[in-house]
Amino acid sequence: MASEETRTLKSTTNVSGSTVSDSPAPTGKQTGKASTHAWTTRLLVLGIVLAALNLRPAITSLGALLEEVREGLGMSGSVAGLLTSVPPLCFAVFGVMAPRLARRFGPAAVVCAGMVLITTGLLVRPYIGGTAGFLAGSALALMGIAVSNVLMPVIVKRWFPDRVGSMTGLYSMALALGTASAAAVTVPMTDALGGSWRSGLAVWAVPAAAAVLPWTALVRHREAPSGSEAPGGQSTRAWEAERARPVLRITRSRTAWALAVFFGLQATAAYITMGWMAQIFRDAGVSAGTAGLLLAVTMVMGVPLAFVIPRLATRLPRQGPIVIALGVCGLVGYAGLYLAPAGGAWAWAVLLGIANCSFPLALTMVGMRARTGAGVAQLSAFAQSTGYLISIPGPLLVGVLYQHSGGWGLPIALMAGLMVPQMAVGVLAGRNRTVEDEAAR
């Protein structure tokens, strides 16, 4: 991984993993094949970016309008807490299905279907009627997000095996940009659309629909060439041999468990932040528009850092130091949020945004802790599904504590307390070893 960005003068790896050699001179057929591969590479990069942009607006747009949705649907604080727990629940339940679906239909086809589900869910959830209908529409969108979450590290590992850090960084940066954009513009866009929270939420179906297009083209183009080369630069025989390997006993790997718990705790912090941070600022006297901007600042910190952190992580044998640095930022941010939520609001938003960059770090470690594409698929599904199960109680518990204590002291103490075990298991997950070695013992 330390040399993932190295390029040789004699060959380069394209999107399908085939090697294009500078010598001998290509024939017309080879030139056409290289041109097709270059087109597919650009289309795949576009598809990854557009998909990533649409993996969080369903959540952060709701966070920005949570008070209006609560009033419009007649929700209590506890029910609103349940609503903020729906994303990790759906990610856990549906994410575990992703590897099996990918083996049956191919990763691109599953991600394409995921984008269709996101579009449909975002479009219908504000208008179905009642809390149950809103939850059902949200679950539909989150189902699409869940399978795409799991398969993105698989797609990066398979099609860009020599650029795991940079491609994970690009994907994470686009995801952070989509997250921040939804948090920042949902409130003003709702006002521009007449003040209806339903319109303000439904409009996010438009970019989701745009993300369907490149994945549809990739599915029609077919994911693996019919010739002698297969994805990841392997021969057809090697590719088939990898697919035929027995499934890893992933639960025997301590690294897999550490990564799953780390993923779960960082997801807990992220979904509490996305679901409740704007409300914390509003209760401290900050206006709704400014609270949305503060949430956007927290999310937008992931745009540059999500590109830098994965590249840095792939150059280090152990990722523990990065885990600790991010955790310290989180602890300071929570302390400030407790002591002076309005006075230092912008500083706390920045620090918590830095802490939330544990997500791209976790995705990068998924790609680093397994040697094969099949291993990455299993580890990604296990770590994300188990992790999201772990994260389910957090946002719900925050809602309950907030309603029964009448303030944010206890919820913020809970958030800060969870940061300590997150740092501990992150150090364990960052050790230089692979799940294939541990699962085979």
Side-chain angles (χ1 to χ4, degrees), residues 46-406:
L46 176 64
I48 289 172
V49 170
L50 288 179
L53 285 170
N54 286 282
L55 292 182
R56 293 298 180 270
I59 303 166
T60 51
S61 61
L62 176 59
L65 294 174
L66 184 59
E67 185 171 314
E68 288 76 9
V69 174
R70 285 175 58 190
E71 293 176 356
L73 297 178
M75 293 182 186
S76 66
S78 297
V79 173
L82 175 63
L83 185 61
T84 59
S85 293
V86 169
L89 174 62
C90 289
F91 294 167
V93 172
F94 299 119
V96 74
M97 299 160 44
R100 183 175 299 178
L101 292 172
R103 286 194 297 268
R104 176 66 179 85
F105 302 104
V110 178
V111 172
C112 182
M115 294 302 107
V116 172
L117 290 173
I118 294 170
T119 303
T120 305
L122 290 177
L123 187 61
V124 304
R125 74 172 178 175
Y127 303 108
I128 293 179
T131 301
F134 191 90
L135 288 171
S138 297
L140 190 64
L142 294 167
M143 183 189 306
I145 296 173
V147 294
S148 301
N149 272 339
V150 171
L151 292 180
M152 281 301 163
V154 179
I155 288 171
V156 168
K157 181 77 169 183
R158 179 179 295 180
W159 277 277
F160 302 96
D162 59 335
R163 288 176 280 170
V164 171
S166 57
M167 288 305 300
T168 301
L170 178 64
Y171 156 70
S172 301
M173 186 169 62
L175 188 148
L177 182 60
T179 306
S181 298
V185 307
T186 295
V187 171
M189 190 163 53
T190 300
D191 294 337
L193 293 172
S196 170
W197 63 264
R198 288 183 168 85
S199 299
L201 294 181
V203 73
W204 290 104
V206 176
V212 176
L213 302 178
W215 290 101
T216 301
L218 285 165
V219 172
R220 290 186 175 184
H221 182 67
R222 301 177 63 182
E223 296 178 83
S226 58
S228 61
E229 291 290 331
Q234 300 163 302
S235 67
T236 301
R237 182 175 300 175
W239 174 246
E240 291 175 349
E242 180 174 316
R243 293 185 65 184
R245 287 179 182 175
V247 176
L248 290 172
R249 299 175 67 180
I250 199 76
T251 54
R252 297 178 61 180
S253 169
R254 293 181 179 179
T255 297
W257 279 107
L259 188 53
V261 176
F262 176 68
F263 198 99
L265 292 175
Q266 68 80 29
T268 300
Y271 288 108
I272 289 174
T273 299
M274 286 187 279
W276 289 108
M277 198 174 87
Q279 190 67 48
I280 293 174
F281 286 127
R282 291 178 73 168
D283 287 352
V286 177
S287 68
T290 303
L293 286 176
L294 287 165
L295 178 58
V297 167
T298 299
M299 300 298 109
V300 84
M301 290 304 300
V303 175
L305 292 178
F307 191 72
V308 172
I309 288 175
R311 293 168 67 91
L312 176 62
T314 56
R315 284 164 169 75
L316 296 176
R318 296 171 179 265
Q319 289 72 49
I322 305 177
V323 172
I324 297 297
L326 296 178
V328 169
C329 288
L331 289 174
V332 175
Y334 288 132
L337 204 59
Y338 176 78
L339 296 172
W346 296 100
W348 318 141
V350 168
L351 286 168
L352 292 174
I354 295 172
N356 279 346
C357 287
S358 295
F359 175 72
L361 177 61
L363 288 182
T364 305
M365 288 196 287
V366 167
M368 296 179 68
R369 298 286 89 88
R371 288 194 301 268
T372 66
V376 171
Q378 276 191 259
L379 179 58
S380 181
F382 175 76
Q384 294 200 45
S385 295
T386 304
Y388 284 126
L389 278 174
I390 292 171
S391 71
I392 289 170
L396 176 60
L397 185 56
V398 165
V400 173
L401 290 175
Y402 170 57
Q403 180 171 340
H404 290 282
S405 68

